[in-house]
């Protein structure tokens, strides 16, 4: 028997003896990576215990899919409702899972009263108060925050999106948001988060310019979250994703894949489509690992509860069975 065969036999024997297949959590932890998903209050629904079991077994980090958005926490000015968010945080912390806070400042989740503010000063104090109250409330239980989400425009040549109410606060509102979050919890890790910036393209150039400028101005930013809402035609290689992630790392910033899902084509869950989806997941995780990213978070748990459930984009099917995509992620984590 050759040395490598002997080693394989030994490892198989050990795995057999312990009876433990790797989980996403065990395989990711071995690579120094957090892995997880967005969850919702249905986590606590007794009718669906598989949901909570899957999260507790497979994930080391969770994000409240909607429960920490501005609308959810401060629907009325300066009246804070933490109930659902606190429940997710308590559930996770009791089980040793980390929590990513998502998201302090996002135009899409701003309640009507924010859109109705009239003066720069009113807008500035509203943002400052929201960030300060929320970050302080969760304190050490939430040490990672998406401070600003989706502020960069999709149109090349327009650095910031035009339809944001926050622009009223002044062109430096992003810098200020990070400074206020840092003041509320100096040990927290603070991220800029966006979609469509995974590969080398005009959008990622704009995000790059934004965060590079922030660093030059001494703004306390830890890293960039790449949402990674893609479909199964996505090519990590073809989009230059690894090179793109690396240029952010070269600025000294951390990188996380924060909302990963990979939709299937209209022909649905055929074996070939599921294999293609698995390959995309494998390539995404491999690219992330190759730049020493710190987390991979899928946007949901099972296909049925996804915001794009029709595309069956996640690692677990409607019944929480592991899909080929699950094997793709484990394979990447194990360097296969
Ligand atoms: O998945 C989320 C969906 O349930 C909400 O209706 C929607 C609006 O709040 O937000 C979705 O999550 C988004 C995330 O917060 C930011 N990036 C894009 C995600 C998908 O739209």
């Amino acid at each position: 028997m050759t040395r490598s065969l002997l080693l394989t036999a030994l490892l198989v024997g050990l795995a057999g003896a312990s009876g433990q297949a790797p989980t996403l959590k065990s395989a990711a932890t071995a690579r120094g990576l957090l892995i997880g998903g967005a969850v919702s209050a249905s986590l606590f629904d007794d009718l669906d215990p598989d949901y909570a079991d899957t999260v507790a077994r497979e994930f080391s980090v969770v994000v409240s899919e909607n429960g920490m958005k501005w609308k959810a926490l401060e629907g009325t000015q300066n009246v804070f409702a933490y109930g659902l968010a606190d429940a997710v945080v308590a559930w996770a912390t009791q089980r040793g899972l980390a929590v990513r806070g998502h998201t302090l400042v996002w135009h899409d989740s701003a309640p009507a009263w924010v859109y109705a503010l009239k003066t720069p000063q009113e807008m500035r104090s509203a943002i400052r108060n929201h960030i300060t109250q929320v970050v302080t409330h969760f304190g050490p239980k939430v040490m990672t925050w998406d401070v600003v989400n989706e502020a960069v425009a999709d149109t090349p040549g327009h650095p910031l999106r035009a339809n944001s109410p926050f622009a009223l606060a002044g062109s430096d509102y992003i810098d200020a948001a990070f400074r206020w979050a840092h003041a509320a919890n100096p040990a927290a890790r603070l991220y800029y988060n966006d979609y469509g910036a995974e590969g080398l393209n005009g959008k990622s150039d704009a995000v790059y310019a934004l965060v590079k400028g922030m660093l030059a101005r001494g703004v306390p930013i830890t890293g960039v979250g790449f949402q990674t809402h893609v479909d199964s035609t996505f090519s990590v290689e073809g989009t230059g994703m690894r090179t793109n992630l690396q240029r952010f790392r070269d600025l000294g910033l951390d990188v996380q894949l924060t909302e990963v899902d990979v939709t299937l084509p209209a022909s649905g869950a055929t074996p070939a489509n599921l294999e293609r989806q698995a390959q995309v997941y494998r390539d995404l995780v491999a690219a992330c690992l190759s730049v020493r990213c710190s987390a991979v978070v899928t946007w949901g748990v099972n296909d049925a509860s996804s915001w794009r459930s029709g595309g069956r984009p996640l690692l677990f099917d409607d019944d929480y069975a592991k899909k080929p995509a699950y094997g793709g992620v484990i394979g990447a984590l194990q360097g296969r």
Side-chain angles (χ1 to χ4, degrees), residues 65-66 69 102 106 108 149-150 227 229 259 299 307:
E65 184 168 354
N66 292 308
K69 291 175 180 172
H102 173 84
W106 181 29
D108 187 87
N149 192 48
E150 301 176 16
Q227 294 183 7
H229 294 292
E259 304 182 14
W299 205 240
W307 72 299

Side-chain angles (χ1 to χ4, degrees), residues 39-288:
V39 298
S40 70
S42 62
L43 189 64
F44 311 106
D45 189 343
D46 288 341
L47 296 174
D48 197 1
D50 288 345
Y51 187 94
D53 288 350
T54 304
V55 173
R57 185 184 71 237
E58 300 286 348
F59 292 169
S60 52
V61 59
V62 291
V63 180
S64 176
E65 184 168 354
N66 292 308
M68 287 190 192
K69 291 175 180 172
W70 194 320
K71 245 181 219 168
L73 296 181
E74 193 192 4
T76 303
Q77 186 162 19
N78 210 27
V79 178
F80 289 84
Y82 291 112
L84 282 176
D86 279 347
V88 170
V89 171
W91 188 94
T93 26
Q94 278 156 19
R95 288 160 182 79
L97 278 69
V99 180
R100 284 193 98 255
H102 173 84
T103 172
L104 295 167
V105 179
W106 181 29
H107 67 284
D108 187 87
S109 74
W113 68 263
V114 169
Y115 277 87
L117 296 172
K118 291 281 183 296
T119 68
Q121 195 42 50
E122 282 172 355
M123 184 60 78
R124 231 176 149 77
S125 350
I127 299 173
R128 181 177 193 158
N129 186 51
H130 182 77
I131 290 175
T132 307
Q133 298 287 334
V134 172
V135 173
T136 305
H137 171 82
F138 292 103
K141 290 179 185 156
V142 179
M143 292 300 287
T144 298
W145 284 100
D146 285 335
V147 178
V148 176
N149 192 48
E150 301 176 16
V152 167
D154 293 325
T155 331
H158 297 273
L160 296 186
R161 67 167 60 245
N163 64 340
S164 170
F166 304 117
L168 178 62
S171 58
D172 68 334
Y173 86 89
I174 298 178
D175 290 8
F178 278 77
R179 293 190 199 281
W180 292 326
H182 180 72
N185 182 354
R189 296 163 63 78
L190 307 179
Y191 290 76
Y192 175 77
N193 193 53
D194 215 329
Y195 63 85
E198 292 76 25
L200 288 167
N201 56 39
K203 178 99 179 243
S204 64
D205 286 349
V207 173
Y208 183 80
L210 170 73
V211 298
K212 193 175 176 192
M214 291 169 74
L215 289 169
R217 295 186 293 276
V219 176
I221 176 171
T222 308
V224 176
F226 296 86
Q227 294 183 7
T228 322
H229 294 292
V230 298
D231 64 40
S232 58
T233 66
F234 184 79
S235 165
V236 165
E237 178 77 22
T239 57
M241 181 165 173
R242 206 204 62 77
T243 310
N244 184 46
L245 299 182
Q246 185 63 50
R247 68 173 165 161
F248 286 88
R249 294 288 286 126
D250 290 343
L251 290 174
L253 290 170
D254 185 34
V255 158
Q256 302 193 331
L257 305 188
T258 50
E259 304 182 14
V260 185
D261 52 15
V262 181
T263 50
L264 296 175
S267 47
T270 64
N273 288 346
L274 290 169
E275 273 316 312
R276 175 68 206 139
Q277 181 183 53
Q279 188 61 46
V280 175
Y281 266 105
R282 177 192 300 266
D283 291 350
L284 288 170
V285 174
C288 198

